[in-house]
Amino acid sequence: MVSTTPGAPTPGGAEDGLDARSVTMHNDPRFIELKRRLRAFVFPMSLAFLAWYLLYVLMSAFARDVMATVLFGPVNFALVFGVLQFASTFGIAILYSRYAARRLDPMANELLTELGRPATASGNVTEAKGGGQS
């Protein structure tokens, strides 16, 4: 039975073509390389951050004397360590943004254009049915 819902894709329509191209794209060597590049950044950085965070937690639990060491005035080692957690989070976000702009976005935009969804000048993908954000 054919769906009569307004806006629903019709069998054999443009949406079916996009679905077929999308499935085909998953086997494209460029798409596989794009996923590899993403994982090459995300997994090591996630592991490094998790280790850094767990070090903070373990030191807070088991090395209280070290964490209580006063560095100057009311500032102790634990406070500096905690602030560095926030700094490293922002640092990772900035690093990822630069990495994505340099190594991921150009390839992703090329693949999206090939799928029939052109990328805008800013690198964002326009909507398939008339483009842009509303």
Side-chain angles (χ1 to χ4, degrees):
M1 179 173 200
V2 175
S3 173
T4 58
T5 307
T10 57
E15 288 295 318
D16 281 345
L18 179 60
D19 289 345
R21 289 191 314 264
S22 296
V23 168
T24 301
M25 188 63 66
H26 282 275
N27 296 323
D28 189 299
R30 295 169 299 167
F31 183 72
I32 294 167
E33 174 64 15
L34 181 64
K35 290 191 308 183
R36 188 200 63 75
R37 288 181 184 185
L38 176 67
R39 290 180 185 135
F41 182 90
V42 171
F43 290 144
M45 196 60 66
S46 296
L47 288 174
F49 182 79
L50 183 60
W52 167 241
Y53 177 72
L54 288 175
L55 176 66
Y56 175 68
V57 171
L58 291 172
M59 286 188 68
S60 295
F62 300 111
R64 291 179 171 261
D65 293 339
V66 173
M67 297 296 267
T69 303
V70 175
L71 299 175
F72 56 89
V75 177
N76 63 12
F77 190 73
L79 181 63
V80 172
F81 211 143
V83 170
L84 287 174
Q85 292 290 317
F86 285 99
S88 64
T89 300
F90 287 109
I92 290 169
I94 291 167
L95 283 174
Y96 176 77
S97 177
R98 290 180 181 173
Y99 179 83
R102 190 179 71 250
R103 304 268 302 160
L104 302 176
D105 293 347
M107 186 178 286
N109 288 335
E110 176 186 333
L111 292 171
L112 286 168
T113 301
E114 191 172 307
L115 276 174
R117 300 170 83 185
T120 63
S122 66
N124 296 329
V125 178
T126 58
E127 292 180 18
K129 294 185 180 180
Q133 296 177 353
S134 52

